[in-house]
Amino acid sequence: MQLKLLSTVFFLHMILAFGQGGSAPADFMGPKENVHLHLNKTTFLQGERLWFKAYVRDQNTKLPSLETTNLHVGIYAGDGEEVKRKLLYAENGMAQGDFGIDSTLVDGEYTVLAWTNYMRNFKELEPFRQRIRIVRDGMEEEIKEVNMKISVYPEGGQLIAGTYNNLGILVDNGLGQGVKVNNLELVDGTGNIIRSNITTNLSGMGKTGFLVESQEKYFLQRQRPDGSLVRVKIPEAIDGELGLSIDNNGRDKVLLTLLASTETFSKKNGDVHTIALYRDDFTRFEDVAVNKDEAVVSIDRKELPYGILTVVLFDVELRPIAYRMFFNHRGNRIEIGQLEIDHCLTEFGDSIQVDLILPKGTESDISTSVSALPSLGTAYRPDNSIASSFLVQPYIKSHFQDHYFFDGPNRKKRYELDNRLLIEGWGKYDWDSRNWGEVQSEFEMERGIYFQGKILDADLNEENQVSLIAELSAAMGFESLDNNKSFKGNMSLFQGDSLGVSLISKRGKLRKPQVEIGFYNHKGRSSGYHINIDKRAMKRQEAKDLEIRVDEPLNISERTIALEEVTVVENVQKTNRTKMFIARGSALISEGKIIGDAEIKRYGSVIGYLNRLGYNRSIGVDSDGFEVDILLSPKSNKPVLVDGTLLNLPLSRVQAIYYDVDKRIYVTIILRANAYERPEDRNKFIKFAIENGYARPQDYFVPNYPSYDTMVFKNYGALDWHPNVVVGNEIPKSITVPVKGQKGIQLFVEGMGTNGSLFCESVEIELD
């Protein structure tokens, strides 16, 4: 028997090793990216905008994805037609964007999808999906009555005769929406009632248990108001086999119980069965000798990873005979964090100040997004939260109300989540799926906007490199010319910007060349998705008309738009003349200036510019006795908070300088992301408009609502949206939210830390 046991475990490990470490396994191809969007709301009025923050996470490392920079987001109609689509620049696993709710959206319901090209290599990682509704004249569409459906799911996959079994229940209205009921009945084949008044929650999920007799038939039914019955037959029980039940309610332990009749336990007494617990690259085996008096296996939660796991029971012949999914809420690494949120009215009472801070001891700062809506409104009904998108959705088959379980988790919600996973059964990762063969990397990792060009008048003996610089974003690049004077590469380029191209000689001199260039927002194949809302299914559409052959000839008249030099420079100069202000409520707290050509030519250095503002430099001594630069306030002649190492920098390294309005407290110096292009070199570049670049994020603005007192606004309106709120654990991060005469405000906060921790909070704020 011991030899048999060792062979069993060795064989299972070999299966697992082949599935994960065989030829070209998925885990070794790159990150398993997954996407979540936090929308400012999900129901919209014509004329509003849909604002969103995107979070991209690597399912392997459980960290923000740092690989892909290109995020695709689209709005799709019910027939799967793509209505709108944008390409967004993702940095450190995050991006933001918006769509106009305009006259092109003529239906009442659409679906927002978000994906990276690379994640399409993994069939289990579907694009993020969220339904949105368009309300006109404040009237909700009436939901048509359809046929109710009852589905049943025996725990472990099948009923076991001669013992007590749990049964998962799902009731929906035929449109994929759960229905809450309280009058389900469990009856046997002769109509005798075994259980009555069985209930389901708002998601349509419920659970019941009963002693299953051998060869007996069972039904679950509900009587309609008209007296007719909705009835479903429960699968017949299995004789002579073992089953599996899980008690996931304990604080520190998970209990796995073997189920069987007394006769089956006696017949199989001493036989060794194997239990496998797995998720992604984690697998644990437990060997169980069949014994009716010792049929329970207790497992410490902290020995298991946090989140969803699947359990499989194998018989002595290594056949999987029972399965079950559960959520481990106290694993070896807790991935859901908590935020502390407080608020107070501002001085004038027209806004509230919301303070967010992490608990002491939190390892890293987090980036959050905050949506503020009128209280008691129904504009925000997301299908998923950031927690369920990353911890649940990749592992289960269906889509319905996953956000509920992580919106203030408690014992009741953990119990209901366990019922949900009982219903899901295998999920997307059954044991057979671990026997993966070769996984083809069909969809490439997208980083930047791809371009290909040719220098028509290059002298390859003297000139073999090009310099590229984006006019507004200051992104820079250098590419070598090949033997046919062509070059290619990728950069972070945005729509509405322009790319300057200059030829570099071997001596380092720049020259304006004759150039052909083309821009692409995808490399190889990167089409959109085709979806069918009614069937809740999705299939990838390989749109051949979107394919790009990167080696095809370039035609400058077809692929580029060259801008007039003076127009581009004039736009930059206008931007540089703009003063910048930062306000909190109605109070101005900071002002500053974007540094442009005029300032750089006139002042040269950072300290020269600050001297013009009235600040003076002095020499001080730090705590170690070293001399350091100190900046003195022009009004108080006292030290001002500033990084002294920046004072001697050339002004061309600086993008903007801010200071408090009284010039008494601080000076903030923001450096350019890339090197500065000197004005005298600009006539050596030829510039091209970027048509297929990233969509440039817009600053949030409140829609022009005709009134804040109407029920339309109270139900569907929006108060504020903050997509980039960085929160730490030392000083609270404050944001200001306008009240607009409302009696209460709903705050919806989601976020992700640099360590992969996830945050999702909802807060109701009552206002006097």
Side-chain angles (χ1 to χ4, degrees):
M1 178 62 67
Q2 231 12 20
L3 180 61
K4 173 80 172 179
L5 172 60
L6 291 175
S7 300
T8 299
V9 174
F10 176 77
F11 181 74
L12 291 174
H13 275 291
M14 289 300 293
I15 292 176
L16 185 62
F18 176 77
Q20 294 181 344
S23 55
D27 284 353
F28 293 164
M29 289 168 51
K32 282 187 176 179
E33 294 174 323
N34 197 9
V35 177
H36 173 75
L37 297 189
H38 178 200
L39 278 59
N40 71 316
K41 55 180 187 161
T42 57
T43 300
F44 298 87
L45 306 171
Q46 284 286 345
E48 291 185 314
R49 297 193 76 81
L50 184 162
W51 304 87
F52 60 86
K53 171 77 170 285
Y55 299 90
V56 186
R57 193 177 195 237
D58 183 353
Q59 291 292 120
N60 287 335
T61 64
K62 309 298 186 292
L63 297 174
S65 177
L66 306 181
E67 299 292 334
T68 295
T69 62
N70 296 17
L71 178 69
H72 302 267
V73 183
I75 297 180
Y76 291 79
D79 59 1
E81 179 184 0
E82 185 177 280
V83 181
K84 299 186 177 201
R85 182 173 167 187
K86 287 187 176 183
L87 179 69
L88 300 177
Y89 176 68
E91 185 175 19
N92 297 324
M94 299 176 199
Q96 66 184 85
D98 63 286
F99 287 104
I101 305 299
D102 52 30
S103 58
T104 62
L105 302 174
V106 297
D107 297 332
E109 184 172 296
Y110 293 87
T111 298
V112 178
L113 297 183
W115 70 95
T116 69
N117 193 50
Y118 192 75
M119 69 185 285
R120 299 170 67 187
N121 291 299
F122 307 97
K123 63 181 181 179
E124 68 274 10
L125 296 178
E126 296 179 350
F128 170 85
R129 178 166 64 179
Q130 172 62 53
R131 293 168 296 174
I132 63 172
R133 296 180 59 244
I134 314 297
V135 176
R136 295 172 179 83
D137 299 325
M139 300 298 293
E140 294 195 44
E141 296 181 5
E142 182 181 355
I143 298 178
K144 298 179 180 179
E145 290 291 335
V146 293
N147 292 327
M148 180 176 291
K149 179 182 178 182
I150 301 175
S151 303
V152 293
Y153 302 87
E155 183 176 20
Q158 58 191 14
L159 293 181
I160 303 299
T163 190
Y164 192 89
N165 288 249
N166 289 318
L167 185 71
I169 302 166
L170 177 61
V171 179
D172 70 68
N173 63 359
L175 295 174
Q177 298 170 322
V179 177
K180 181 178 181 179
V181 299
N182 59 8
N183 58 347
L184 289 172
E185 294 178 336
L186 177 69
V187 299
D188 62 19
T190 60
N192 295 320
I193 296 178
I194 300 173
R195 291 280 188 275
S196 61
N197 300 323
I198 301 171
T199 64
T200 62
N201 62 10
L202 291 172
S203 299
M205 294 180 295
K207 178 180 177 181
T208 191
F210 63 105
L211 179 64
V212 177
E213 300 290 344
S214 178
Q215 299 182 352
E216 180 64 83
K217 295 180 180 180
Y218 299 95
F219 300 87
L220 197 64
Q221 63 187 28
R222 177 176 183 261
Q223 190 172 32
R224 296 189 180 99
D226 62 5
S228 61
L229 285 178
V230 181
R231 173 181 284 192
V232 61
K233 183 180 180 182
I234 297 174
E236 293 186 10
I238 303 297
D239 277 311
E241 191 59 89
L242 269 67
L244 179 68
S245 178
I246 292 181
D247 182 350
N248 192 31
N249 296 316
R251 174 181 172 83
D252 300 314
K253 302 288 185 180
V254 180
L255 303 181
L256 292 76
T257 304
L258 299 182
L259 300 179
S261 65
T262 302
E263 294 78 8
T264 301
F265 269 125
S266 298
K267 181 179 179 181
K268 296 182 179 292
N269 186 51
D271 288 355
V272 175
H273 285 48
T274 301
I275 295 176
L277 299 90
Y278 66 89
R279 202 260 322 269
D280 297 334
D281 57 351
F282 171 85
T283 302
R284 171 172 171 166
F285 295 101
E286 294 286 340
D287 304 307
V288 183
V290 176
N291 185 329
K292 67 177 181 178
D293 298 322
E294 298 180 2
V296 178
V297 177
S298 176
I299 299 179
D300 191 330
R301 291 188 181 277
K302 292 189 176 181
E303 296 177 1
L304 304 174
Y306 181 86
I308 283 185
L309 290 113
T310 300
V311 183
V312 182
L313 174 64
F314 295 89
D315 65 10
V316 293
E317 303 297 331
L318 299 181
R319 294 183 303 117
I321 57 175
Y323 49 88
R324 171 81 145 80
M325 298 176 71
F326 72 95
F327 193 97
N328 180 30
H329 57 271
R330 288 177 58 83
N332 47 30
R333 174 177 180 255
I334 303 299
E335 298 181 40
I336 297 181
Q338 299 293 319
L339 272 171
E340 297 175 7
I341 303 175
D342 201 357
H343 71 279
C344 64
L345 278 173
T346 57
E347 181 179 358
F348 298 100
D350 60 346
S351 305
I352 62 169
Q353 176 180 305
V354 178
D355 297 325
L356 303 96
I357 191 169
L358 293 171
K360 293 294 184 182
T362 306
E363 294 181 3
S364 65
D365 291 351
I366 64 169
S367 178
T368 68
S369 43
V370 183
S371 176
L373 305 174
S375 63
L376 306 180
T378 59
Y380 189 68
R381 293 292 184 267
D383 295 328
N384 283 281
S385 69
I386 190 171
S388 62
S389 285
F390 294 147
L391 300 180
V392 177
Q393 199 61 64
Y395 304 99
I396 64 175
K397 296 176 181 177
S398 55
H399 298 74
F400 62 96
Q401 296 191 8
D402 292 312
H403 71 95
Y404 165 80
F405 303 114
F406 300 97
D407 184 8
N410 53 38
R411 185 178 178 87
K412 176 177 179 292
K413 291 183 179 181
R414 286 198 295 265
Y415 174 81
E416 292 183 341
L417 175 58
D418 198 58
N419 287 352
R420 166 71 187 271
L421 297 177
L422 184 155
I423 288 170
E424 288 298 330
W426 282 112
K428 291 177 183 174
Y429 291 94
D430 61 33
W431 183 260
D432 292 335
S433 73
R434 303 184 71 78
N435 289 306
W436 292 311
E438 184 174 354
V439 179
Q440 298 294 333
S441 180
E442 183 179 0
F443 300 97
E444 297 193 24
M445 183 78 67
E446 292 181 332
R447 300 184 181 95
I449 305 301
Y450 296 93
F451 56 83
Q452 181 179 356
K454 188 171 186 178
I455 306 297
L456 303 179
D457 60 342
D459 179 0
L460 294 180
N461 293 321
E462 296 293 332
E463 303 165 317
N464 56 11
Q465 194 177 40
V466 292
S467 173
L468 306 107
I469 182 169
E471 188 69 24
L472 300 180
S473 68
M476 292 188 66
F478 298 91
E479 300 294 342
S480 299
L481 298 179
D482 59 24
N483 292 333
N484 65 354
K485 304 181 182 180
S486 296
F487 63 93
K488 59 184 178 180
N490 64 289
M491 294 174 61
S492 299
L493 305 174
F494 290 83
Q495 293 176 3
D497 203 347
S498 65
L499 183 68
V501 183
S502 183
L503 190 59
I504 308 176
S505 70
K506 292 182 178 179
R507 301 178 186 178
K509 292 185 176 181
L510 301 178
R511 176 174 73 84
K512 179 182 288 188
Q514 297 179 25
V515 185
E516 292 181 349
I517 191 169
F519 302 97
Y520 317 105
N521 60 13
H522 47 73
K523 183 178 181 182
R525 288 182 291 177
S526 182
S527 63
Y529 277 94
H530 179 80
I531 62 173
N532 187 310
I533 302 297
D534 293 333
K535 294 183 179 179
R536 314 288 294 195
M538 205 171 306
K539 62 180 181 179
R540 298 186 177 100
Q541 177 184 0
E542 304 301 336
K544 295 187 176 181
D545 59 327
L546 291 178
E547 293 183 12
I548 294 292
R549 289 184 56 201
V550 295
D551 59 345
E552 65 184 357
L554 297 169
N555 184 314
I556 191 168
S557 63
E558 293 178 352
R559 297 183 179 275
T560 65
I561 300 175
L563 302 182
E564 291 291 337
E565 188 85 17
V566 66
T567 303
V568 178
V569 175
E570 181 184 13
N571 288 338
V572 176
Q573 290 174 344
K574 286 180 179 178
T575 302
N576 288 338
R577 286 201 299 267
T578 303
K579 265 203 164 187
M580 307 298 291
F581 300 95
I582 300 175
R584 177 174 296 166
S586 59
L588 186 66
I589 61 173
S590 294
E591 62 177 295
K593 183 86 181 300
I594 295 178
I595 302 302
D597 298 345
E599 290 79 19
I600 292 169
K601 290 179 180 179
R602 184 173 181 181
Y603 301 106
S605 67
V606 171
I607 190 60
Y609 181 77
L610 292 176
N611 287 158
R612 194 271 297 178
L613 295 177
Y615 292 95
N616 294 307
R617 179 168 61 177
S618 181
I619 301 297
V621 179
D622 66 12
S623 59
D624 296 321
F626 292 98
E627 291 187 348
V628 293
D629 284 327
I630 295 176
L631 196 65
L632 301 179
S633 165
K635 295 188 176 182
S636 64
N637 206 37
K638 293 182 179 179
V640 171
L641 181 63
V642 66
D643 187 341
T645 62
L646 303 179
L647 296 179
N648 296 315
L649 286 179
L651 200 56
S652 59
R653 289 285 309 279
V654 176
Q655 179 177 342
I657 294 179
Y658 296 91
Y659 47 89
D660 63 294
V661 291
D662 294 327
K663 295 185 179 178
R664 296 175 184 270
I665 304 174
Y666 63 84
V667 172
T668 301
I669 300 171
I670 300 176
L671 298 179
R672 296 180 187 273
N674 297 282
Y676 171 73
E677 178 194 0
R678 297 186 299 273
E680 59 268 23
D681 286 336
R682 287 186 180 144
N683 61 357
K684 298 177 182 179
F685 285 79
I686 182 170
K687 294 182 171 62
F688 298 90
I690 300 170
E691 292 183 299
N692 296 323
Y694 297 116
R696 193 177 295 277
Q698 296 192 52
D699 291 332
Y700 176 78
F701 57 89
V702 179
N704 186 22
Y705 297 109
S707 172
Y708 297 102
D709 296 326
T710 65
M711 289 306 299
V712 173
F713 176 78
K714 294 179 186 297
N715 282 332
Y716 306 119
L719 291 170
D720 211 351
W721 168 250
H722 295 264
N724 294 304
V725 181
V726 178
V727 183
N729 65 359
E730 294 184 356
I731 302 175
K733 178 66 176 181
S734 299
I735 61 173
T736 302
V737 176
V739 174
K740 302 297 183 183
Q742 303 304 302
K743 294 183 178 180
I745 293 176
Q746 300 179 85
L747 292 181
F748 300 95
V749 184
E750 296 194 336
M752 179 167 61
T754 55
N755 63 353
S757 55
L758 307 174
F759 295 80
C760 49
E761 305 274 355
S762 63
V763 178
E764 290 276 353
I765 298 176
E766 294 184 2
L767 304 174
D768 296 332

